[in-house]
Amino acid sequence: MAASLRDAGLRRSRVRDIVVEEFFAAAQHMSVEALLDRVRKRAPETGLSTVYRTLKVLVEHGFAAERDFGGAHTLFEPADTPHHDHAVCVACGRVIEFEDDALEAIQARVASSLGFEVTAHRLELYGRCPSCRAHAAR
Amino acid sequence: MAASLRDAGLRRSRVRDIVVEEFFAAAQHMSVEALLDRVRKRAPETGLSTVYRTLKVLVEHGFAAERDFGGAHTLFEPADTPHHDHAVCVACGRVIEFEDDALEAIQARVASSLGFEVTAHRLELYGRCPSCRAHAAR
DNA sequence: ATCTGTGCAAATCTTTTGCAGCTCT
DNA sequence: AGAGCTGCAAAAGATTTGCACAGAT
């Protein structure tokens, strides 16, 4: 991975390596702030802008993808994650990933009936996850 | 519509009426800035915050819905619009609305298999619309 | 030596809020 | 009168950028 970045013409550095490592180590939707926290455990002086800049570079080179679930922060996730959609629990904030071939197939059919050439899509379900439903008074 | 707002315990005013009218007249995803432009043609002194506040009120009372397509601005649309999803053209920015029952059905099936109680969802297809595909060099 | 990455502070951009005055009811 | 609007300016929160310096090749 670090090597691929190298191939892409990017320079490595102590801090950048750490940012990249921590980002892929978590392998979870992560906010910039959350990633900064992780990075600072190993390189306490790291600045917020470095994390933003590094993630931007990863996105531009196709190693990461931005996700925006309507919260205040943008979330990022590794781009090599197999395609999936998201179910967001409005009660606890948890994000569950899922994937369904039939869904993909129908989306493709709809797109072609619109004459649309689809390059990406996103589907999010909002609701309550099983454990929040169990805990709920109603 | 204005009457419904009245029933909801809201006061009317010259400016608010205009904001509401223009919002529903356009019946299109609209940004706050775009709506302000329209409103200012009839009430030039209108402030940006009034538009924000009015839209917020409409959302809170269920008359409007917020949409966020990843651009800089949040877009709003009338809530009485029948349910639909969006296809966003990455070339020209046009947003096409569509609706597909099979898609809805499968989403419901997926949600229940996750144990999720879904209250809302959103699906967006990103790609190129027919006319941009036609114009494209490639 | 040169080009790139870094931290910090300042700038930007969208959206929200405080406030004093004006408008509804 | 009293509650709710309004515009303006200031605030807030997330992300970006300018700059001078340190680090990588």
Side-chain angles (χ1 to χ4, degrees), chain B residues 51-118:
Chain B
V51 177
Y52 272 107
R53 282 189 276 231
T54 305
L55 283 173
K56 185 180 223 179
V57 167
L58 291 177
V59 170
E60 281 165 356
H61 288 76
F63 296 115
E66 269 184 67
R67 300 279 169 192
D68 177 0
F69 299 123
H73 304 255
T74 302
L75 301 184
F76 292 82
E77 70 183 13
D80 55 8
T81 305
H83 174 73
H84 58 265
D85 295 304
H86 297 93
V88 182
C89 179
V90 297
C92 68
R94 191 151 63 109
V95 179
I96 297 174
E97 303 180 345
F98 66 88
E99 197 243 321
D100 188 281
D101 291 336
L103 213 40
E104 303 292 320
I106 298 208
Q107 285 174 25
R109 171 170 72 54
V110 171
S112 79
S113 78
L114 293 172
F116 235 76
E117 175 191 311
V118 173

Side-chain angles (χ1 to χ4, degrees), chain A residues 38-58:
Chain A
R38 293 182 62 122
V39 169
R40 280 193 169 153
K41 291 198 176 120
R42 296 171 56 189
E45 72 291 352
T46 306
L48 183 57
S49 28
T50 297
V51 177
Y52 272 107
R53 280 189 276 232
T54 305
L55 283 173
K56 186 180 221 179
V57 167
L58 291 177

